[in-house]
């Protein structure tokens, strides 16, 4: 079963537990831009990414977005099943950044097996701790780092993820990731362009000097 190769604690489950998961999971393929989960009132289930990329973000009352974390191949998303964690009220929205294929584990099945299996409970706690670490890192960036450093770091991360210096992203999309207005992104990108770090075109940001961006990051 292909799912078994993607689920780290599969071999620690009993045959009966494996059969229960196998009989309950579903596989979905979604297009880029698809909304998969919307807020704490939505209990979609646990998502295990086979291939693609998802973005988890929070949305303010004013409609401002900020990316909390991204999910890649073999990553597990727990906050899409917040109903199994009553003490956590996390209004997370999840969308597909790329065409993505993933498995959905029903929350009631996962919760039942987590109560039976120490290995699964430990794995869940590890994933939860990692996600909260990412949330705390985000808070630290927003509170203490200047926007030029955050933008430079974001562009460098995108270059690494996409394996290209030509990034097909609008200024609004970048602003959504960083929780900043499009106009602020545009002003800073134009400054970067004036310093020879990027080249701008409609819907495209081309990184032309990674070394200078690293210097902006302070690295």
């Amino acid at each position: 079963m292909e799912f078994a190769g993607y689920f780290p604690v599969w071999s620690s489950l009993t045959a009966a537990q494996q059969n229960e998961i196998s009989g309950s999971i579903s596989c979905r393929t979604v297009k880029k831009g698809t909304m998969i989960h919307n807020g704490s009132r939505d209990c979609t289930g646990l998502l295990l990414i086979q291939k693609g990329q998802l973005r988890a973000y929070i949305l303010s009352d004013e409609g401002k977005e900020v990316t909390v974390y991204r999910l890649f191949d073999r990553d597990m998303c727990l906050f899409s099943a917040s109903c199994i964690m009553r003490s956590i009220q996390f209004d997370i929205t999840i969308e597909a950044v790329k065409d993505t294929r993933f498995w959905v584990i029903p929350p009631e099945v996962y919760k039942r097996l987590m109560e039976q299996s120490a290995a699964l409970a430990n794995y869940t706690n590890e994933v939860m701790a990692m996600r909260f670490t990412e949330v705390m890192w985000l808070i630290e960036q927003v509170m203490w780092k200047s926007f030029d450093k955050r933008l430079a770091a974001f562009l460098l991360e995108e270059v690494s993820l996409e394996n290209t210096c030509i990034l097909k992203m609008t200024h609004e999309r970048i602003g959504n990731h960083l929780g900043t207005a499009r106009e602020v992104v545009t002003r800073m990108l134009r400054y970067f362009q004036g310093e020879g770090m990027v080249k701008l075109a409609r819907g495209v940001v081309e990184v032309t000097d990674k070394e200078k961006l690293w210097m902006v990051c302070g690295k």
Side-chain angles (χ1 to χ4, degrees), residues 44-66:
T44 305
L46 292 99
L47 311 180
L48 179 59
I49 314 304
Q50 182 180 5
K51 186 173 180 59
Q53 186 183 148
L54 304 180
R55 177 174 81 109
Y57 64 92
I58 53 178
L59 187 66
S60 72
D61 292 339
E62 295 77 27
K64 182 185 294 185
E65 299 177 9
V66 60

Side-chain angles (χ1 to χ4, degrees), residues 17-194:
Q17 291 167 344
Q18 291 175 353
N19 289 335
E20 185 168 4
I21 288 185
S22 300
S24 63
I25 60 173
S26 58
C27 191
R28 290 184 60 190
T29 301
V30 298
K31 294 291 186 181
K32 175 181 176 180
T34 301
M35 190 76 66
I36 298 166
H37 174 84
N38 189 15
S40 61
R41 290 170 293 179
D42 186 4
C43 200
T44 305
L46 292 99
L47 311 180
L48 179 59
I49 314 304
Q50 182 180 5
K51 186 173 180 59
Q53 186 183 148
L54 304 180
R55 177 174 81 109
Y57 64 92
I58 53 178
L59 187 66
S60 72
D61 292 339
E62 295 77 27
K64 182 185 294 185
E65 299 177 9
V66 60
T67 298
V68 179
Y69 56 81
R70 285 186 277 187
L71 299 158
F72 304 95
D73 300 3
R74 297 181 180 274
D75 278 344
M76 170 78 83
C77 183
L78 297 176
F79 290 123
S80 52
S82 56
C83 56
I84 70 172
M85 297 168 281
R86 297 295 184 184
S87 59
I88 298 174
Q89 295 299 317
F90 229 84
D91 270 342
I92 287 278
T93 302
I94 300 169
E95 69 167 352
V97 176
K98 297 181 177 181
D99 294 351
T100 304
R101 183 175 175 84
F102 58 92
W103 288 282
V104 181
I105 309 173
E108 66 278 3
V109 172
Y110 195 91
K111 182 179 181 181
R112 183 163 57 250
L113 294 181
M114 193 168 59
E115 291 169 350
Q116 299 171 5
S117 170
L120 184 57
N122 289 337
Y123 167 68
T124 305
N125 288 335
E126 288 173 7
V127 174
M128 185 72 70
M130 181 171 62
R131 296 293 171 238
F132 273 116
T133 297
E134 291 172 330
V135 171
M136 294 306 297
W137 179 87
L138 171 66
I139 293 172
E140 182 182 73
Q141 297 296 302
V142 171
M143 290 186 65
W144 307 118
K145 276 206 171 183
S146 60
F147 183 66
D148 60 337
K149 294 182 187 297
R150 293 176 58 215
L151 179 58
F154 175 79
L155 293 175
L156 289 167
E157 180 184 31
E158 285 298 308
V159 166
S160 176
L161 288 173
E162 300 299 330
N163 198 30
T164 177
C165 288
I166 300 176
L167 306 174
K168 296 180 179 179
M169 300 186 77
T170 65
H171 297 186
E172 182 176 8
R173 186 67 173 173
I174 295 172
N176 287 343
H177 274 288
L178 298 176
T180 305
R182 176 184 57 79
E183 294 79 8
V184 176
V185 174
T186 297
R187 283 197 297 270
M188 190 58 68
L189 284 175
R190 285 175 178 168
Y191 169 74
F192 283 1
Q193 180 172 246

Side-chain angles (χ1 to χ4, degrees), residues 205-217:
V205 178
E206 180 181 355
V207 173
T208 54
D209 195 327
K210 289 193 286 187
E211 290 301 319
K212 282 188 177 180
L213 285 177
W214 280 115
M215 289 176 64
V216 171
C217 292

